[in-house]
Amino acid sequence: MVKKQDTIYALSTPPGKSAIAVVRISGSKALDYIKKISSSMPTKPNTSTLNKLITKTGDVIDQTITTYYKAPKSFTGEDMVEISMHGGNAVINKFIDVFKKNKKTRLAEPGEFTRRSFENNKLDLTQVEAISDLVNAETEYQRKQAHSQLEGNLTLKTKEIYSELTNVLANIEAMIDFADEELPTDLLNNIKEQIENISNEIYNILSKNSKGRKIREGFIVGIIGKTNTGKSSFINNVSNQEIAIVSNKPGTTRDAIESYIDIRGLPVRFFDTAGIRKHRNTVEKIGIKKSKEISKEADLNLVFLNKSSEIDDFKNVSNPIFIQSKYDIRKKPTTINDITNISSKNNYGIKSLLNRIFHQLSDKNFTENTYISRERHIECLKNTIKYLEKSKQKKNYDVFSEDIRLAIKEISKIYGKTDIENILDIIFSDFCIGK
Ligand SMILES: Nc1nc2c(ncn2[C@@H]2O[C@H](COP(=O)(O)OP(=O)(O)OP(=O)(O)O)[C@@H](O)[C@H]2O)c(=O)[nH]1
Ligand SMILES: [Mg+2]
């Protein structure tokens, strides 16, 4: 049975050869246990020593740098020991073997160190999410966003709303107390105005920050159009590898092929799709259906054409950039403003197309600090608004205040601990062992 008070250990660096590997141990027995297998364990908190790890039989496992953190001043808030050893497989395996034999400690579950940190109030929920996002960040924008969240910017903003709402609640309570006496006439209007302002503030956050989730998950760019127009050649060009089959036979691509590309720090998921024409068989039909679905979901669609007159066939496509490829062999380049000329063979126009994609996906709100980056945040904010809207319809003050209480509960779910047991497992399932 997994217990919260167990002392846990795990390799916190990836397995495989490296200069150093770090093992963490957290819990009340961490210090005692490591002392038993150490030549010179640090005695003062937050200090490191050059320390040999030695088995019971006197076998030296490795020479390490061992750091001791005393509760509550550690990542988990518990006593912790961090051991930096040489990152060879045999060293790591020997160390883990020694640990496995001892009954006082057990291997940590995925995310268990961070979970303890959360449970010991070292991190709030948005910061836990930020740690997961930092570990998974692949691009500069993802790093910046996760870092801002780890700094507490999202929590700060939502706590502001929380305190504004508690203020409203206090005013309503005052009204209930006043009920039999003469009411201050403008108090109710004042409360309604406060609620209106808070709702607008939340709407504002929701609309301004719709890009936060995209930065975390990646923007979707569909590569669609007629067959044989050079879609697969384009995805291969921008991916720098042959991920899609290219041939001069129309209808080559059937499945959607994804490639993740970092455009100036922006995470972008390109999807090469089946060319659109009157299908020849069931498999092609399924491919074309998929291609249409992707184009509906996409933040941008690169529409590849054989000739400019085909634009009319794609009138209903959202956020399109029309493209004619094979510029290197076309006798008459397209001069229509709406169409971008490129060549996947000699790279003509590719760089400026990627720049254009960058500018269309990003916008001026990107540098703002308070990004909401997950569906969970959006849901909490929407639910808060829902209760605020509901409260406006209430005549009875008791019921009115109940709606405000529910709104307060929703907003505090973004960073807090109430009513979130069910979502903790979802959040921590993103973590790896040792984090
Ligand atoms: N010269 C030249 N040929 C190209 C270029 N792009 C693609 N081609 C050729 O055009 C043909 C079709 O290219 P693909 O990339 O397979 O076209 P597609 O749009 O993916 O085709 P489907 O998957 O059938 O819809 C191949 O013979 C490519 O070599 C280009 O920029 N210049
Ligand atoms: Mg193709």
Side-chain angles (χ1 to χ4, degrees):
M1 247 280 282
V2 169
K3 283 197 199 132
K4 283 182 185 173
Q5 61 272 33
D6 288 347
T7 294
I8 53 171
Y9 69 90
L11 178 68
S12 288
T13 40
K17 279 184 200 175
S18 58
I20 50 170
V22 177
V23 171
R24 293 206 282 199
I25 305 104
S26 180
S28 57
K29 298 198 179 92
L31 188 66
D32 270 359
Y33 181 65
I34 300 298
K35 232 187 227 167
K36 277 189 191 142
I37 56 167
S38 289
S39 66
S40 49
M41 179 74 192
T43 45
K44 278 193 214 143
N46 305 323
T47 55
S48 304
T49 52
L50 184 66
N51 178 30
K52 280 184 188 149
L53 297 179
I54 306 164
T55 65
K56 265 188 203 162
T57 55
D59 196 6
V60 177
I61 305 171
D62 194 16
Q63 181 167 286
T64 73
I65 296 292
T66 301
T67 311
Y68 161 50
Y69 303 93
K70 189 173 163 50
K73 288 189 173 172
S74 74
F75 175 65
T76 57
E78 303 172 329
D79 278 350
M80 276 187 91
V81 178
E82 219 166 75
I83 303 174
S84 304
M85 57 186 76
H86 293 100
N89 285 328
V91 178
I92 298 166
N93 289 344
K94 178 77 180 171
F95 185 80
I96 299 291
D97 265 359
V98 169
F99 259 75
K100 269 187 193 153
K101 287 188 189 123
N102 121 68
K103 300 271 176 296
K104 295 196 176 92
T105 58
R106 69 162 165 84
L107 186 65
E109 303 274 303
E112 197 169 0
F113 290 96
T114 313
R115 189 161 189 154
R116 286 183 180 198
S117 186
F118 170 69
E119 268 150 15
N120 292 325
N121 299 315
K122 304 289 289 189
L123 296 172
D124 70 32
L125 205 50
T126 68
Q127 290 171 318
V128 167
E129 291 170 326
I131 285 184
S132 163
D133 292 348
L134 263 183
V135 172
N136 291 315
E138 304 258 359
T139 77
E140 187 59 4
Y141 276 98
Q142 289 177 323
R143 183 193 65 76
K144 276 189 191 156
Q145 175 164 292
H147 178 72
S148 158
Q149 197 169 312
L150 186 61
E151 294 267 280
N153 286 322
L154 174 58
T155 299
L156 209 68
K157 188 75 213 158
T158 39
K159 276 190 175 165
E160 251 172 59
I161 297 173
Y162 175 91
S163 78
E164 285 163 17
L165 283 170
T166 36
N167 206 298
V168 171
L169 190 63
N171 284 343
I172 300 171
E173 299 294 343
M175 284 193 78
I176 296 170
D177 289 345
F178 267 120
D180 297 333
E181 300 163 33
E182 204 165 315
L183 281 172
T185 44
D186 51 11
L187 197 51
L188 183 60
N189 285 340
N190 203 340
I191 290 171
K192 284 191 171 157
E193 198 183 315
Q194 271 182 305
I195 292 175
E196 196 63 37
N197 290 342
I198 297 169
S199 296
N200 287 340
E201 202 178 335
I202 299 175
Y203 277 124
N204 209 7
I205 297 174
L206 279 169
S207 69
K208 263 194 192 160
N209 290 309
S210 61
K211 294 261 157 60
R213 221 179 115 206
K214 290 284 172 189
I215 289 179
R216 199 173 93 72
E217 293 168 6
F219 291 84
I220 295 177
V221 172
I223 303 172
I224 63 162
K226 300 283 182 178
T227 55
N228 232 12
T229 46
K231 301 182 293 302
S232 300
S233 304
F234 172 75
I235 202 168
N236 288 347
N237 180 304
V238 292
S239 313
N240 280 323
Q241 54 178 322
E242 304 295 306
I243 58 164
I245 298 173
V246 166
S247 102
N248 59 5
K249 206 165 157 272
T252 306
T253 307
R254 304 292 176 83
D255 253 330
I257 297 166
E258 179 178 354
S259 183
Y260 184 94
I261 293 166
D262 176 343
I263 306 182
R264 293 166 58 181
L266 214 60
V268 184
R269 297 163 65 197
F270 283 87
F271 283 89
D272 177 28
T273 65
I276 292 166
R277 65 170 178 179
K278 266 214 168 103
H279 62 271
R280 301 282 160 90
N281 58 45
T282 337
V283 180
E284 192 174 356
K285 186 177 171 188
I286 297 168
I288 292 172
K289 189 167 166 251
K290 222 179 216 181
S291 147
K292 289 180 177 163
E293 281 163 9
I294 286 173
S295 78
K296 273 189 203 135
E297 233 192 277
D299 300 291
L300 251 186
N301 279 298
L302 308 183
V303 186
F304 278 64
L305 311 167
N306 282 310
K307 42 186 193 301
S308 52
S309 58
E310 286 170 1
I311 282 193
D312 291 343
D313 297 342
F314 296 96
K315 275 199 301 263
N316 298 328
V317 171
S318 57
N319 306 315
I321 295 181
F322 294 104
I323 291 166
Q324 255 189 286
S325 189
K326 312 188 192 182
Y327 186 68
D328 53 304
I329 51 165
R330 264 187 290 122
K331 293 203 180 74
K332 268 204 277 168
T334 305
T335 48
I336 296 178
N337 278 344
D338 273 357
I339 297 179
T340 303
N341 287 294
I342 63 159
S343 164
S344 302
K345 282 264 150 75
N346 71 8
N347 293 325
Y348 177 84
I350 303 267
K351 224 178 188 176
S352 63
L353 175 60
L354 291 180
N355 270 337
R356 184 166 166 201
I357 293 171
F358 172 83
H359 285 297
Q360 272 186 242
L361 293 177
S362 57
D363 65 23
K364 59 185 185 314
N365 295 324
F366 261 36
T367 49
E368 288 197 11
N369 270 334
T370 51
Y371 283 120
I372 41 174
S373 57
R374 295 179 184 237
E375 186 59 37
R376 189 183 79 77
H377 308 151
I378 296 171
E379 209 161 286
C380 290
L381 290 176
K382 282 189 175 162
N383 283 341
T384 309
I385 288 187
K386 184 182 85 187
Y387 288 119
L388 293 182
E389 294 294 334
K390 251 172 113 184
S391 77
K392 286 188 210 157
Q393 298 149 17
K394 299 283 161 56
K395 298 272 184 304
N396 178 318
Y397 295 137
D398 285 340
V399 196
F400 186 26
S401 73
E402 184 53 25
D403 281 334
I404 302 297
R405 272 198 192 90
L406 290 169
I408 290 175
K409 206 166 158 187
E410 281 302 321
I411 197 82
S412 65
K413 273 189 201 168
I414 292 186
Y415 55 86
K417 282 187 165 172
T418 37
D419 272 357
I420 49 153
E421 237 359 89
N422 53 338
I423 59 160
L424 282 184
D425 289 337
I426 300 171
I427 292 173
F428 283 102
S429 66
D430 271 356
F431 279 77
C432 47
I433 290 182
K435 195 65 236 165

